[in-house]
Every structure is written in structure tokens, then in C-alpha cells.
Amino acid sequence: MKIVIIGGTGLIGSKTAERLRKKGHDVIAAAPKTGVNTLTGEGLAEALKNTEVVIDLANSPSFEDKAVLEFFQTAGKNLMAAEIEAGVKHHVALSIVGTDRLPDSGYLRAKVAQEKIIRAAGVPYTIVRSTQFMEFLGGIAQEGTVGNTARLSTGSLQPIASDDVADFVTDAALAAPTNGIVEICGPERARLCDFAARYLKAIGDSRTVIADPDAPYFGTKLEDGSLVSDNQPRIGRIGFDDWFATAPRK
């Protein structure tokens, strides 16, 4: 069948497109650089002709509170309207575990708004909420770094490898719509500060990690269960050590 991946040239999109093509599906990797822009509506109608499944993996180019909210609201409304017009049978969106538990985060408030648009549109859907990607552990450490010290939250983290995310998104796209939420996470749970310390040690980084319950996580304070799932999540197969052994180094 024809499947359009919005954000199909990004980290998860490119991996998902590869998996779906190997299964014999006609996949369109849609992104502004390929002439499809959900924010402006450019190229949407043409891309969605005869499409059965749309996978929305697009992300805002700006994480500033107002800009990210405008992106997800505008892009979401444009995309859902185009899907209704095209007769799309299944909308799959990638979201984040804990979106509705951290209202102080402008980014997560925007993801909540995106999910509301999806649910209200009337297109059969599946929302895949994922925990943080292992590929972002370096960025998490950097966010709390001053000098040679990284002060990081003690809230729990259960990071997932992007390959596992792509597998789960592929599975969701090929299954019947759930009209609900599926949560996915990695196989290991530990404190955020401990995962970051483990990552820094693995790359030979000398920064000292300080565990601080009050340390902000991208502008918001974490409770212990803010970013993890106990809602019968689907568990990835790739642990930190296996991921790190094959992860590309920058």
C-alpha cells in the first residue's frame, strides 16, 4: 500500500521508510526539502493522493514555547484536513511518554495540542508515545552542563534506541488503528543522571555528573515517574550497551 511519512528524511523517518520498503510498500518520504510542507500546506494534497496510511514524525524547527505550539497546531490541522480530503485510512503519530504530566514544558504542551487535533479529526489513528531516544543522551547531559559539571535530574529515564522506535512505528502503521495510545520504551530503567553519567563515561568525557532532584529537564522539574511508562508499554530489544556498541560517533 502507499504510505506517506511526514518527516520521512529524519532519524526515525528514514529508518521507518527503509523497513516499510523492504516489506514491499510504496513509501513517500515527505519533508520540506522534498516539496511537502505541513506548516504551509505545500505539496500535501498531491503527496496524499491514493494514500492509505500517513505516519507523522515531523518536528518543529524551533523549540521556543510559542513557536513550537504554533507549529504543531498549524501543521496538525493542515495535515488532518488533507488526510480527510484524500480518504486516508490510518494516521500514525509519534509522541512522547509523559506529555500530559509535564505542563511546565512548552514543547510537551505543544505535543498535547497535537494529540488533541488528531483525536478530534475523525481519521482512524494510533498515537505512539515513546520515551526519550538513546541518541539524545548527549544532549541531555549538555543541557545541564556548566563548565566541567553536569547537574542533572534524579527522575527516572527508560531510553529507547531509534531502531526500536522505527520497528514499533512500522508495526503500528501496518496494524489496524487503535484509536488510542501505544507506549514504547527501552529495556532498562535508571535515574536520568545515572544514564547520562554512563554515557559520558562510555565516550571518555571527564565531566562530573551531580544528581540533583531539582535540576530542570529542558525547563521543567521531573517527578520520578514523569518520563517513564507503567501503562503496559511495549519494550524495545536494544539495551544501552548494545546500542552504544553500534551507535555512530560524531
Side-chain angles (χ1 to χ4, degrees):
M1 59 185 169
K2 182 182 176 183
I3 301 172
V4 172
I5 304 178
I6 306 296
T9 60
L11 174 66
I12 306 301
S14 57
K15 291 174 182 285
T16 303
E18 179 185 14
R19 285 157 171 74
L20 289 167
R21 287 181 179 130
K22 284 183 177 178
K23 293 178 180 290
H25 298 284
D26 176 17
V27 179
I28 305 298
K33 65 183 180 183
T34 67
V36 181
N37 191 320
T38 54
L39 196 57
T40 65
E42 177 192 1
L44 263 182
E46 183 64 29
L48 294 188
K49 284 182 179 178
N50 303 314
T51 296
E52 294 187 51
V53 179
V54 171
I55 304 172
D56 185 8
L57 306 175
N59 207 354
S60 173
S62 169
F63 285 8
E64 187 273 326
D65 285 3
K66 185 172 183 287
V68 72
L69 180 60
E70 288 180 352
F71 174 85
F72 281 117
Q73 287 183 325
T74 302
K77 290 174 182 177
N78 286 342
L79 181 57
M80 300 313 297
E83 289 183 27
I84 292 168
E85 184 67 24
V88 170
K89 297 180 175 63
H90 188 186
H91 177 92
V92 178
L94 183 62
S95 191
I96 301 169
V97 166
T99 51
D100 45 4
R101 294 197 289 261
L102 294 168
D104 290 340
S105 166
Y107 185 85
L108 294 184
R109 288 198 302 272
K111 294 298 286 184
V112 168
Q114 179 193 27
E115 291 186 6
K116 287 181 179 177
I117 290 167
I118 293 167
R119 287 194 292 268
V123 176
Y125 70 91
T126 302
I127 295 171
V128 180
R129 283 187 179 177
S130 173
T131 53
Q132 186 59 273
F133 304 161
M134 290 188 192
E135 284 79 359
F136 293 163
L137 286 172
I140 290 171
Q142 186 59 38
E143 177 69 11
T145 294
V146 176
N148 200 44
T149 299
R151 185 176 296 274
L152 299 169
S153 173
T154 56
S156 293
L157 199 67
Q158 197 161 345
I160 185 169
S162 61
D163 280 324
D164 278 335
V165 178
D167 285 342
F168 286 128
V169 170
T170 297
D171 290 345
L174 299 181
T178 64
N179 292 316
I181 294 169
V182 174
E183 295 194 332
I184 63 174
C185 57
E188 301 175 62
R189 181 182 295 195
R191 299 188 305 174
L192 181 151
C193 54
D194 294 336
F195 261 117
R198 187 175 174 186
Y199 174 79
L200 292 176
K201 180 179 180 181
I203 64 172
D205 191 306
S206 63
R207 274 177 284 177
T208 299
V209 174
I210 296 176
D212 182 354
D214 295 320
Y217 174 79
F218 296 99
T220 189
K221 181 181 175 181
L222 298 181
E223 302 299 332
D224 185 57
S226 297
L227 293 177
V228 293
S229 174
D230 292 313
N231 188 30
Q232 296 182 313
R234 299 181 185 180
I235 307 295
R237 59 187 171 81
I238 303 171
F240 177 86
D241 290 337
D242 288 338
W243 167 78
F244 189 81
T246 59
R249 306 286 185 268
K250 291 186 179 180

